[in-house]
């Protein structure tokens, strides 16, 4: 009887969970965390909410504020990764300096940018930025409040996946 009660409870739990149609923030419906999703497909896009959560947790663990995703910064990050992908070159100035790219588009007094290439998942890119003193300093800049992040996949390029993270106050 005890085993039957346990099975009934598990069945009821399964039915209750089956009614849930959305995945937790940062997770895909398959249960895979968004930060481990391979971005090696032309249709693949980085999960900006998972990125925001990952970076915000890192920041709050260091006594800093969480970030919000900003649509204008998303667009600026997308333009940067597409410019790098087209040129098959990783550079902060490939589409103009960050100041030139952001001025007139949104209100900010401070802005920083992390770029990278070759990382296939958000977790890899985040780890690379965290382990790089300059990139880590950008993510832990106490003035930052908003972010935009983007990737571009180009299978024939030397790096395959290009990354841009833009942070502003």
């Amino acid at each position: 009887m005890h085993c039957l009660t346990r099975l009934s409870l598990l069945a009821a739990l399964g039915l209750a969970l089956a009614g849930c149609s959305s995945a937790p923030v940062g997770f895909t419906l398959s249960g895979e965390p968004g930060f481990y999703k391979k971005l090696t497909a032309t249709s693949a896009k980085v999960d900006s909410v998972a990125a925001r959560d990952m970076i915000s947790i890192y920041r709050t663990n260091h006594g800093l504020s969480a970030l919000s995703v900003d649509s204008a910064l998303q667009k600026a990050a997308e333009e940067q990764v597409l410019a790098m992908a087209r040129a098959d070159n990783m550079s902060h100035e490939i589409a103009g300096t960050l100041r030139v790219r952001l001025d007139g588009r949104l209100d900010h007094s401070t802005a920083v940018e992390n770029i990278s290439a070759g990382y296939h998942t958000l977790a890899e890119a985040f780890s690379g930025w965290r382990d790089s003193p300059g990139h880590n300093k950008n993510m832990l800049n106490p003035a930052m409040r908003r972010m935009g992040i983007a990737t571009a996949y180009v299978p024939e390029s030397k790096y395959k996946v290009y990354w841009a993270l833009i942070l502003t106050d």
Side-chain angles (χ1 to χ4, degrees), residues 129-146:
W129 290 332
R130 186 192 58 216
D131 294 341
S132 164
H135 292 110
N136 192 52
K137 182 179 176 183
N138 287 344
M139 290 193 301
L140 294 178
N141 184 322
M144 299 303 113
R145 300 285 182 267
R146 299 174 291 161

Side-chain angles (χ1 to χ4, degrees), residues 49-133:
V49 172
R52 179 208 59 208
D53 292 348
M54 179 180 278
I55 297 167
S56 290
I57 289 168
Y58 183 59
R59 287 173 55 85
T60 57
N61 285 341
H62 286 84
L64 302 170
S65 65
L67 300 170
S68 63
V69 176
D70 182 279
S71 60
L73 292 174
Q74 281 293 115
K75 184 165 176 46
E78 289 168 9
E79 291 169 358
Q80 175 65 8
V81 293
L82 291 175
M84 290 190 303
R86 279 191 295 271
D88 197 10
N89 187 13
M90 194 174 59
S91 168
H92 288 281
E93 283 84 32
I94 205 134
T97 66
L98 181 59
R99 177 170 291 287
V100 166
R101 287 184 276 131
L102 294 183
D103 279 354
R105 294 176 78 165
L106 68 151
D107 184 32
H108 72 283
S109 59
T110 305
V112 294
E113 177 179 60
N114 286 357
I115 61 169
S116 60
Y119 297 117
H120 291 185
T121 68
L122 172 59
E124 291 171 0
F126 172 80
S127 292
W129 290 332
R130 186 192 58 216
D131 294 341
S132 164

Side-chain angles (χ1 to χ4, degrees), residues 1 8 27 32 34 65 86 90 102 118 126 151 153:
M1 185 70 164
S8 298
F27 285 81
E32 174 188 63
S65 65
R86 279 191 295 271
M90 194 174 59
L102 294 183
F126 172 80
T151 57
Y153 174 66

